[in-house]
Amino acid sequence: MVLGAVLGGVLGNIWSNVSTDDFMQNWAPNLATAVRGNTVEQKFQRRYYEIDMKLARQNLHREDVRDLVELTVGRMDIFLLGGTLLLSFCITWFTDADMLEAPWLPAWFTTLFITSNFCAVGYLLFSVWLAMHASIAAKSVGVRLLTGFARLSIPSKEDLKALNVSMVPFMNNFVALGSQLGLLRRHKAEGADG
């Protein structure tokens, strides 16, 4: 009984020394804003990382396009090198007169050699031409894909505004709590007296 009276007196003295302005401005916001601040920070980080992961995924798509283009260009370079070397061998056989003027070779063999060598030159010219065309076309398609399909999406103004997480709804709840406890009416009454 005595302990209750002493405790009531001490609490009453503390409560009378603390004004509602002091309570609402200095103590009350710090009671629960740390939790709300953490929640706001988590929501902001989640939205930020959603945009960041979207950009990372798009970068991976762009790397895949670049890898496929480089693979095609690399293969066509190998075909171009091989075709050019074989074409130079065939042309060298035409310019080498020893084989065509050899008296020990029959005429049918020389005719067959010239015919097959002409066909090989024609085939190798087409293969070198198509290898160059495929390399240029692969680079062109790669550029078209990178500039059209796999373009990085820059966050719009609305996306950036969506990153904002407001503290206002929580503060409205806090004001409602203060009015339920009677602090807000007392604060308004003190403001009307002053």
Side-chain angles (χ1 to χ4, degrees), residues 5-18 186:
V6 170
L7 188 60
V10 169
L11 287 177
N13 188 17
I14 290 174
W15 187 255
S16 64
N17 288 334
V18 175
R186 189 168 147 193

Side-chain angles (χ1 to χ4, degrees), residues 45-61:
Q45 290 295 328
R46 184 183 51 129
R47 290 178 184 172
Y48 173 77
Y49 284 122
E50 283 175 3
I51 292 174
D52 192 36
M53 294 303 280
K54 183 179 177 183
L55 290 174
R57 188 182 73 216
Q58 290 172 349
N59 276 330
L60 289 175
H61 287 299

